[in-house]
Amino acid sequence: EESGEKTCAVCGDRASGYHFHVMTCEGCKGFFRRTVLKGIQFTCPFTQSCPVTKAKRRQCQACRYKKCLAVGMRKDS
């Protein structure tokens, strides 16, 4: 993007840089790091396809984490 505005690959918020190999915002970076460090297993209470947006990213942690992995975030960093 020529404007220099980067967006988070997970939720679309303004990204702060590359975290775990993916351009993400501070919120998703912290969420992914905490999830990996604590080894948390989330279960989606809905249909496994919840929208992950800036406004709705806190509604379903299972789908947010699944999207983190889907966009390429890696636990090895």
Side-chain angles (χ1 to χ4, degrees):
E1 297 172 22
E2 294 302 307
S3 64
E5 273 292 288
K6 304 273 192 264
T7 54
C8 175
V10 179
C11 73
D13 196 359
R14 195 166 58 84
S16 56
Y18 280 94
H19 308 291
F20 304 101
H21 304 281
V22 179
M23 181 66 67
T24 67
C25 65
E26 286 296 315
C28 288
K29 174 185 79 170
F31 168 78
F32 187 77
R33 186 182 64 240
R34 286 189 302 275
T35 301
V36 171
L37 286 176
K38 295 178 181 176
I40 306 167
Q41 295 289 316
F42 297 118
T43 305
C44 175
F46 309 108
T47 60
Q48 268 56 233
S49 59
C50 302
V52 183
T53 60
K54 181 180 177 183
K56 296 185 174 177
R57 66 189 181 204
R58 290 182 183 85
Q59 288 184 355
C60 181
Q61 293 174 304
C63 287
R64 186 181 187 183
Y65 184 64
K66 188 174 78 173
K67 188 164 180 188
C68 284
L69 296 176
V71 299
M73 292 182 83
R74 300 200 329 229
K75 308 174 193 183
D76 58 18
S77 347

